[in-house]
Amino acid sequence: MPDVQALVNDFVIKLKKRKIEGSLATAKHTAELLRSVISQQRIPYTNQAAALIDAVKAVGEQLIAANPVELAVGNIVRRVLHIIREEDLSLTTASIAGLNLAAVSDDEDDNEKDDRPVLSAAAVAAAARSTLRPPSLQTLLEDVPNQASVHQTSSSGGDSEGKSKSADKSSRSRKLKHDVIEAVNELIQDIATCHEQIAEQAVEHIHQNEVILTLGSSRTVLEFLCAAKEKKRSFRVFVAEGAPRYQGHLLAKELVTRGLQTTLITDSAVFAMISRVNMVIVGAHAVMANGGVIAPVGLNMLALAAKRHAVPFVVLAGSHKLCPLYPHNPEVLLNELRSPSELLDIGEFSDCMDFGTNTGSPLLHVVNPTFDYVPPALVSLFITDTGGHNSSYMYRLISDYYSADDLVIKRRLSTGS
């Protein structure tokens, strides 16, 4: 079995060097790595969930620091933490329910079996508390039944009971890891199939003879448009080229290959063409808790044009792109600058970028941001793998995927005596 730390270090290097392209691939790799961490993590008899949470947070901190702009990494780390908490709560609830059921059964059989000790309410409460936190001395004392009311048959009975409790704890720890890994497998499957789940809804939103406008390149948008084409919907697509990387050229070529009528336009022509458009459909880098969208540069201009001409602005995003943070949170890095060579030939403009002015800085500065921020007021509809949602509902949808305790990924500091 590969060493987990080696896998973590390898993934951190890939994140730092931007070797993994796209939020979906990043999210899938992150979930698979965390599954390996959980699988190989040794957990104690008590506080099993806390041990798993600390292990995931330790790895999550490294991954997030390696590429803070790729919010999908933090999203998946928080999703896995939420899964651990939910599975632990489920096991705890089942344990308490079984204990209460046993207590009721003992009460019913009390008349027939007087020699069987009946669990008191204090014992039930103590057992419930012991499943939620490490056992304290008081809890241990409360768990000990009154010696005067218990008929001990032999000294071996206490030994077998102790062995049974130890076996139960070991079984519970294995059950917790198994359930968490199964849930993470489901998460990985959801990430892998999110394009298909979103594309299934295309026929509900794209109608006959409509004109759709998009910008840049997005696999989610590509699959969405092609799914509508497969349902015999006839429509035309305008693709803004998405300068300076011109990803729109790739999307236009792929659409034509799949048989869609496509028109390629410059980004500056968006306002001139928007009056002919019935709907704007775009992808997203991340969707924030307030319904705002972090998207490829140029989309804010497109959203403003759509708002001005009352054209619906639809954002497609898988659930792995839903971020529980707000744009103003200090943990959120909204943008990064790409190389100036994408905008101009450095050799041709080298004389404008030298330091010969004696001011300590060049005369020409080149700014090449990667992302735009689109406020929620400009978004008409979000389409995720769970359906269509208004921007004002996104905070509720996002809250179903995350725990409030995990918004800031930071390990607990061990306190010394």
Side-chain angles (χ1 to χ4, degrees):
M1 221 170 179
D3 179 47
V4 172
Q5 191 56 48
L7 293 176
V8 172
N9 293 339
D10 181 61
F11 190 48
V12 166
I13 291 173
K14 289 181 178 179
L15 288 174
K16 287 182 177 179
K17 294 183 176 181
R18 307 302 195 261
K19 290 292 184 67
I20 302 178
E21 286 283 342
S23 297
L24 184 139
T26 305
K28 191 169 182 288
H29 279 77
T30 303
E32 291 171 346
L33 176 62
L34 294 179
R35 180 181 60 187
S36 298
V37 171
I38 293 169
S39 176
Q40 299 189 34
Q41 176 67 28
R42 287 180 170 271
I43 56 178
Y45 284 143
T46 59
N47 282 348
Q48 294 98 344
L52 290 180
I53 288 172
D54 286 344
V56 171
K57 282 188 175 182
V59 174
E61 279 187 275
Q62 300 178 57
L63 302 183
I64 294 172
N67 189 356
V69 178
E70 186 52 83
L71 297 178
V73 173
N75 295 344
I76 297 304
V77 172
R78 295 181 182 93
R79 286 284 296 272
V80 172
L81 291 172
H82 180 67
I83 286 172
I84 296 172
R85 296 182 189 278
E86 288 292 302
E87 295 299 335
D88 181 58
L89 178 62
S90 176
L91 287 177
T92 301
T93 304
S95 176
I96 295 176
L99 185 61
N100 290 336
L101 183 61
V104 172
S105 177
D106 285 346
D107 288 339
E108 291 176 350
D109 297 340
D110 186 49
N111 294 330
E112 299 177 2
K113 299 182 180 180
D114 294 332
D115 59 335
R116 180 180 297 177
V118 178
L119 288 175
S120 64
V124 173
R129 288 196 297 272
S130 69
T131 60
L132 296 174
R133 67 167 187 264
S136 64
L137 179 60
Q138 179 183 358
T139 303
L140 293 173
L141 291 175
E142 289 176 343
D143 268 336
V144 177
N146 189 349
Q147 297 297 328
S149 63
V150 178
H151 301 285
Q152 295 289 346
T153 58
S154 65
S155 60
S156 62
D159 295 338
S160 63
E161 184 180 355
K163 292 179 181 178
S164 175
K165 287 185 177 180
S166 177
D168 288 344
K169 290 179 179 179
S170 177
S171 174
R172 186 182 189 279
S173 65
R174 291 195 300 270
K175 173 71 171 167
L176 176 62
K177 284 182 67 171
H178 176 270
D179 290 350
V180 169
I181 290 173
E182 285 297 313
V184 173
N185 286 335
E186 293 179 8
L187 173 61
I188 294 172
Q189 182 65 21
D190 289 343
I191 294 172
T193 60
C194 73
H195 292 316
E196 291 80 2
Q197 295 176 19
I198 293 175
E200 288 176 358
Q201 308 169 56
V203 71
E204 303 173 10
H205 300 279
I206 298 179
H207 305 98
Q208 195 73 7
N209 298 324
E210 284 190 332
V211 177
I212 308 299
L213 173 62
T214 188
L215 182 144
S217 179
S218 165
R219 183 187 166 191
T220 313
V221 173
L222 172 64
E223 298 297 336
F224 193 82
L225 296 175
C226 291
K229 173 71 166 53
E230 291 172 0
K231 297 294 183 180
K232 308 302 181 183
R233 294 290 166 86
S234 177
F235 57 94
R236 173 176 288 276
V237 182
F238 288 174
V239 180
E241 59 184 356
R245 300 181 69 191
Y246 302 106
Q247 294 293 306
H249 296 181
L250 302 178
L251 178 62
K253 183 177 180 180
E254 186 67 30
L255 291 173
V256 171
T257 301
R258 303 242 193 143
L260 278 83
Q261 301 180 53
T262 306
T263 301
L264 184 66
I265 65 173
T266 62
D267 297 343
S268 56
V270 163
F271 264 96
M273 304 296 292
I274 193 69
S275 60
R276 307 182 188 182
V277 171
N278 300 106
M279 182 184 301
V280 176
I281 300 178
V282 297
H285 176 69
V287 178
M288 310 307 292
N290 65 338
V293 179
I294 299 177
V297 66
L299 276 187
N300 187 57
M301 172 189 66
L302 183 54
L304 289 171
K307 185 75 171 180
R308 173 70 176 176
H309 290 265
V311 175
F313 187 86
V314 179
V315 177
L316 310 181
S319 58
H320 61 279
K321 295 186 178 183
L322 305 183
C323 181
L325 303 177
Y326 289 84
H328 60 266
N329 288 140
E331 299 84 11
V332 177
L333 185 60
L334 288 178
N335 222 327
E336 67 177 352
L337 299 179
R338 299 184 63 86
S339 170
S341 62
E342 293 182 347
L343 296 178
L344 45 80
D345 185 348
I346 300 298
E348 183 180 349
F349 285 82
S350 59
D351 56 335
C352 302
M353 304 180 70
D354 61 18
F355 292 83
T357 59
N358 297 323
T359 61
S361 62
L363 293 175
L364 177 63
H365 294 267
V366 180
V367 180
N368 184 16
T370 305
F371 301 113
D372 257 347
Y373 174 71
V374 181
L378 299 181
V379 180
S380 306
L381 181 69
F382 286 97
I383 300 178
T384 72
D385 36 357
T386 62
H389 308 282
N390 191 279
S391 58
S392 61
Y393 182 76
M394 294 308 294
Y395 82 96
R396 176 64 183 274
L397 179 65
I398 290 173
S399 67
D400 291 338
Y401 293 117
Y402 304 98
S403 298
D405 295 336
D406 303 324
L407 297 185
V408 178
I409 306 297
K410 191 173 182 180
R411 285 171 293 177
R412 296 182 303 173
L413 298 176
S414 57
T415 57
S417 55

PDB file of all heavy atoms in Angstrom, residues 205-206 212-215 221 224-225 279-283 302 312-316:
ATOM      1  N   HIS A 205     -34.611  23.700 -20.180  1.00  0.00           N
ATOM      2  CA  HIS A 205     -34.234  25.119 -20.203  1.00  0.00           C
ATOM      3  C   HIS A 205     -33.926  25.648 -21.599  1.00  0.00           C
ATOM      4  O   HIS A 205     -34.024  26.862 -21.822  1.00  0.00           O
ATOM      5  CB  HIS A 205     -33.009  25.325 -19.296  1.00  0.00           C
ATOM      6  CG  HIS A 205     -33.224  24.940 -17.869  1.00  0.00           C
ATOM      7  ND1 HIS A 205     -33.850  25.761 -16.964  1.00  0.00           N
ATOM      8  CD2 HIS A 205     -32.919  23.793 -17.196  1.00  0.00           C
ATOM      9  CE1 HIS A 205     -33.906  25.161 -15.781  1.00  0.00           C
ATOM     10  NE2 HIS A 205     -33.347  23.970 -15.892  1.00  0.00           N
ATOM     11  N   ILE A 206     -33.549  24.796 -22.522  1.00  0.00           N
ATOM     12  CA  ILE A 206     -33.243  25.238 -23.885  1.00  0.00           C
ATOM     13  C   ILE A 206     -34.386  24.824 -24.802  1.00  0.00           C
ATOM     14  O   ILE A 206     -34.759  23.647 -24.848  1.00  0.00           O
ATOM     15  CB  ILE A 206     -31.915  24.616 -24.373  1.00  0.00           C
ATOM     16  CG1 ILE A 206     -30.762  25.093 -23.489  1.00  0.00           C
ATOM     17  CG2 ILE A 206     -31.657  24.993 -25.831  1.00  0.00           C
ATOM     18  CD1 ILE A 206     -29.412  24.508 -23.878  1.00  0.00           C
ATOM     19  N   ILE A 212     -28.269  30.956 -27.792  1.00  0.00           N
ATOM     20  CA  ILE A 212     -27.579  30.847 -26.509  1.00  0.00           C
ATOM     21  C   ILE A 212     -26.225  31.521 -26.622  1.00  0.00           C
ATOM     22  O   ILE A 212     -25.499  31.321 -27.605  1.00  0.00           O
ATOM     23  CB  ILE A 212     -27.389  29.370 -26.101  1.00  0.00           C
ATOM     24  CG1 ILE A 212     -28.718  28.612 -26.172  1.00  0.00           C
ATOM     25  CG2 ILE A 212     -26.765  29.271 -24.715  1.00  0.00           C
ATOM     26  CD1 ILE A 212     -29.790  29.134 -25.263  1.00  0.00           C
ATOM     27  N   LEU A 213     -25.863  32.299 -25.611  1.00  0.00           N
ATOM     28  CA  LEU A 213     -24.555  32.953 -25.577  1.00  0.00           C
ATOM     29  C   LEU A 213     -23.748  32.401 -24.406  1.00  0.00           C
ATOM     30  O   LEU A 213     -24.264  32.255 -23.292  1.00  0.00           O
ATOM     31  CB  LEU A 213     -24.711  34.469 -25.439  1.00  0.00           C
ATOM     32  CG  LEU A 213     -23.422  35.275 -25.213  1.00  0.00           C
ATOM     33  CD1 LEU A 213     -22.464  35.116 -26.392  1.00  0.00           C
ATOM     34  CD2 LEU A 213     -23.754  36.762 -24.999  1.00  0.00           C
ATOM     35  N   THR A 214     -22.471  32.081 -24.667  1.00  0.00           N
ATOM     36  CA  THR A 214     -21.562  31.662 -23.606  1.00  0.00           C
ATOM     37  C   THR A 214     -20.211  32.309 -23.838  1.00  0.00           C
ATOM     38  O   THR A 214     -19.983  32.951 -24.876  1.00  0.00           O
ATOM     39  CB  THR A 214     -21.451  30.123 -23.541  1.00  0.00           C
ATOM     40  OG1 THR A 214     -20.716  29.743 -22.382  1.00  0.00           O
ATOM     41  CG2 THR A 214     -20.773  29.571 -24.782  1.00  0.00           C
ATOM     42  N   LEU A 215     -19.299  32.124 -22.873  1.00  0.00           N
ATOM     43  CA  LEU A 215     -17.972  32.738 -22.978  1.00  0.00           C
ATOM     44  C   LEU A 215     -16.926  31.735 -22.519  1.00  0.00           C
ATOM     45  O   LEU A 215     -17.108  31.042 -21.507  1.00  0.00           O
ATOM     46  CB  LEU A 215     -17.906  34.009 -22.121  1.00  0.00           C
ATOM     47  CG  LEU A 215     -16.598  34.803 -22.157  1.00  0.00           C
ATOM     48  CD1 LEU A 215     -16.891  36.306 -22.073  1.00  0.00           C
ATOM     49  CD2 LEU A 215     -15.639  34.392 -21.043  1.00  0.00           C
ATOM     50  N   VAL A 221     -20.789  23.278 -19.655  1.00  0.00           N
ATOM     51  CA  VAL A 221     -21.600  23.956 -20.668  1.00  0.00           C
ATOM     52  C   VAL A 221     -21.646  23.125 -21.946  1.00  0.00           C
ATOM     53  O   VAL A 221     -22.710  22.990 -22.581  1.00  0.00           O
ATOM     54  CB  VAL A 221     -21.033  25.365 -20.943  1.00  0.00           C
ATOM     55  CG1 VAL A 221     -21.767  26.019 -22.116  1.00  0.00           C
ATOM     56  CG2 VAL A 221     -21.147  26.238 -19.701  1.00  0.00           C
ATOM     57  N   PHE A 224     -23.981  20.238 -21.500  1.00  0.00           N
ATOM     58  CA  PHE A 224     -25.347  20.762 -21.367  1.00  0.00           C
ATOM     59  C   PHE A 224     -25.937  21.079 -22.733  1.00  0.00           C
ATOM     60  O   PHE A 224     -27.072  20.684 -23.047  1.00  0.00           O
ATOM     61  CB  PHE A 224     -25.315  22.012 -20.481  1.00  0.00           C
ATOM     62  CG  PHE A 224     -26.648  22.492 -20.012  1.00  0.00           C
ATOM     63  CD1 PHE A 224     -27.275  21.920 -18.917  1.00  0.00           C
ATOM     64  CD2 PHE A 224     -27.295  23.545 -20.655  1.00  0.00           C
ATOM     65  CE1 PHE A 224     -28.500  22.370 -18.467  1.00  0.00           C
ATOM     66  CE2 PHE A 224     -28.520  23.999 -20.224  1.00  0.00           C
ATOM     67  CZ  PHE A 224     -29.128  23.411 -19.116  1.00  0.00           C
ATOM     68  N   LEU A 225     -25.173  21.779 -23.565  1.00  0.00           N
ATOM     69  CA  LEU A 225     -25.655  22.152 -24.898  1.00  0.00           C
ATOM     70  C   LEU A 225     -25.822  20.924 -25.789  1.00  0.00           C
ATOM     71  O   LEU A 225     -26.811  20.814 -26.534  1.00  0.00           O
ATOM     72  CB  LEU A 225     -24.690  23.144 -25.533  1.00  0.00           C
ATOM     73  CG  LEU A 225     -24.539  24.505 -24.835  1.00  0.00           C
ATOM     74  CD1 LEU A 225     -23.464  25.340 -25.508  1.00  0.00           C
ATOM     75  CD2 LEU A 225     -25.865  25.260 -24.818  1.00  0.00           C
ATOM     76  N   MET A 279     -30.772  33.581 -24.052  1.00  0.00           N
ATOM     77  CA  MET A 279     -30.298  33.114 -22.747  1.00  0.00           C
ATOM     78  C   MET A 279     -28.774  33.061 -22.746  1.00  0.00           C
ATOM     79  O   MET A 279     -28.148  32.731 -23.754  1.00  0.00           O
ATOM     80  CB  MET A 279     -30.858  31.717 -22.433  1.00  0.00           C
ATOM     81  CG  MET A 279     -30.468  31.170 -21.071  1.00  0.00           C
ATOM     82  SD  MET A 279     -31.062  29.476 -20.833  1.00  0.00           S
ATOM     83  CE  MET A 279     -32.832  29.706 -21.043  1.00  0.00           C
ATOM     84  N   VAL A 280     -28.182  33.416 -21.601  1.00  0.00           N
ATOM     85  CA  VAL A 280     -26.738  33.275 -21.393  1.00  0.00           C
ATOM     86  C   VAL A 280     -26.520  32.069 -20.484  1.00  0.00           C
ATOM     87  O   VAL A 280     -27.124  31.976 -19.409  1.00  0.00           O
ATOM     88  CB  VAL A 280     -26.131  34.541 -20.762  1.00  0.00           C
ATOM     89  CG1 VAL A 280     -24.652  34.322 -20.460  1.00  0.00           C
ATOM     90  CG2 VAL A 280     -26.319  35.742 -21.674  1.00  0.00           C
ATOM     91  N   ILE A 281     -25.682  31.143 -20.917  1.00  0.00           N
ATOM     92  CA  ILE A 281     -25.363  29.948 -20.121  1.00  0.00           C
ATOM     93  C   ILE A 281     -23.854  29.868 -19.966  1.00  0.00           C
ATOM     94  O   ILE A 281     -23.129  29.809 -20.963  1.00  0.00           O
ATOM     95  CB  ILE A 281     -25.903  28.665 -20.785  1.00  0.00           C
ATOM     96  CG1 ILE A 281     -27.428  28.731 -20.928  1.00  0.00           C
ATOM     97  CG2 ILE A 281     -25.500  27.434 -19.975  1.00  0.00           C
ATOM     98  CD1 ILE A 281     -28.022  27.518 -21.618  1.00  0.00           C
ATOM     99  N   VAL A 282     -23.383  29.866 -18.717  1.00  0.00           N
ATOM    100  CA  VAL A 282     -21.940  29.865 -18.457  1.00  0.00           C
ATOM    101  C   VAL A 282     -21.611  28.874 -17.349  1.00  0.00           C
ATOM    102  O   VAL A 282     -22.481  28.438 -16.591  1.00  0.00           O
ATOM    103  CB  VAL A 282     -21.441  31.277 -18.063  1.00  0.00           C
ATOM    104  CG1 VAL A 282     -21.645  32.262 -19.192  1.00  0.00           C
ATOM    105  CG2 VAL A 282     -22.136  31.757 -16.788  1.00  0.00           C
ATOM    106  N   GLY A 283     -20.336  28.536 -17.260  1.00  0.00           N
ATOM    107  CA  GLY A 283     -19.843  27.728 -16.150  1.00  0.00           C
ATOM    108  C   GLY A 283     -19.332  28.627 -15.041  1.00  0.00           C
ATOM    109  O   GLY A 283     -19.426  29.852 -15.108  1.00  0.00           O
ATOM    110  N   LEU A 302     -20.249  40.165 -19.202  1.00  0.00           N
ATOM    111  CA  LEU A 302     -21.337  39.447 -19.860  1.00  0.00           C
ATOM    112  C   LEU A 302     -22.603  39.481 -19.001  1.00  0.00           C
ATOM    113  O   LEU A 302     -23.719  39.659 -19.518  1.00  0.00           O
ATOM    114  CB  LEU A 302     -20.906  38.010 -20.119  1.00  0.00           C
ATOM    115  CG  LEU A 302     -21.873  37.095 -20.867  1.00  0.00           C
ATOM    116  CD1 LEU A 302     -22.295  37.706 -22.193  1.00  0.00           C
ATOM    117  CD2 LEU A 302     -21.237  35.730 -21.095  1.00  0.00           C
ATOM    118  N   PRO A 312     -31.931  36.216 -19.433  1.00  0.00           N
ATOM    119  CA  PRO A 312     -31.610  35.329 -18.302  1.00  0.00           C
ATOM    120  C   PRO A 312     -30.137  34.921 -18.305  1.00  0.00           C
ATOM    121  O   PRO A 312     -29.591  34.523 -19.337  1.00  0.00           O
ATOM    122  CB  PRO A 312     -32.523  34.117 -18.533  1.00  0.00           C
ATOM    123  CG  PRO A 312     -33.635  34.631 -19.389  1.00  0.00           C
ATOM    124  CD  PRO A 312     -33.030  35.688 -20.260  1.00  0.00           C
ATOM    125  N   PHE A 313     -29.516  35.012 -17.131  1.00  0.00           N
ATOM    126  CA  PHE A 313     -28.110  34.657 -16.953  1.00  0.00           C
ATOM    127  C   PHE A 313     -28.059  33.399 -16.092  1.00  0.00           C
ATOM    128  O   PHE A 313     -28.338  33.435 -14.892  1.00  0.00           O
ATOM    129  CB  PHE A 313     -27.349  35.806 -16.284  1.00  0.00           C
ATOM    130  CG  PHE A 313     -25.854  35.609 -16.208  1.00  0.00           C
ATOM    131  CD1 PHE A 313     -25.027  35.963 -17.257  1.00  0.00           C
ATOM    132  CD2 PHE A 313     -25.275  35.062 -15.069  1.00  0.00           C
ATOM    133  CE1 PHE A 313     -23.660  35.791 -17.184  1.00  0.00           C
ATOM    134  CE2 PHE A 313     -23.904  34.882 -14.978  1.00  0.00           C
ATOM    135  CZ  PHE A 313     -23.095  35.251 -16.045  1.00  0.00           C
ATOM    136  N   VAL A 314     -27.734  32.262 -16.698  1.00  0.00           N
ATOM    137  CA  VAL A 314     -27.807  30.947 -16.040  1.00  0.00           C
ATOM    138  C   VAL A 314     -26.395  30.430 -15.789  1.00  0.00           C
ATOM    139  O   VAL A 314     -25.551  30.433 -16.701  1.00  0.00           O
ATOM    140  CB  VAL A 314     -28.591  29.940 -16.904  1.00  0.00           C
ATOM    141  CG1 VAL A 314     -28.629  28.575 -16.228  1.00  0.00           C
ATOM    142  CG2 VAL A 314     -30.002  30.459 -17.159  1.00  0.00           C
ATOM    143  N   VAL A 315     -26.136  29.976 -14.563  1.00  0.00           N
ATOM    144  CA  VAL A 315     -24.825  29.460 -14.169  1.00  0.00           C
ATOM    145  C   VAL A 315     -24.937  27.964 -13.897  1.00  0.00           C
ATOM    146  O   VAL A 315     -25.796  27.529 -13.119  1.00  0.00           O
ATOM    147  CB  VAL A 315     -24.291  30.180 -12.922  1.00  0.00           C
ATOM    148  CG1 VAL A 315     -22.964  29.570 -12.477  1.00  0.00           C
ATOM    149  CG2 VAL A 315     -24.124  31.667 -13.188  1.00  0.00           C
ATOM    150  N   LEU A 316     -24.075  27.170 -14.540  1.00  0.00           N
ATOM    151  CA  LEU A 316     -24.018  25.729 -14.312  1.00  0.00           C
ATOM    152  C   LEU A 316     -22.859  25.425 -13.366  1.00  0.00           C
ATOM    153  O   LEU A 316     -21.736  25.874 -13.590  1.00  0.00           O
ATOM    154  CB  LEU A 316     -23.799  24.980 -15.630  1.00  0.00           C
ATOM    155  CG  LEU A 316     -24.711  25.341 -16.807  1.00  0.00           C
ATOM    156  CD1 LEU A 316     -24.355  24.475 -18.020  1.00  0.00           C
ATOM    157  CD2 LEU A 316     -26.171  25.171 -16.443  1.00  0.00           C
TER     158      LEU A 316
END
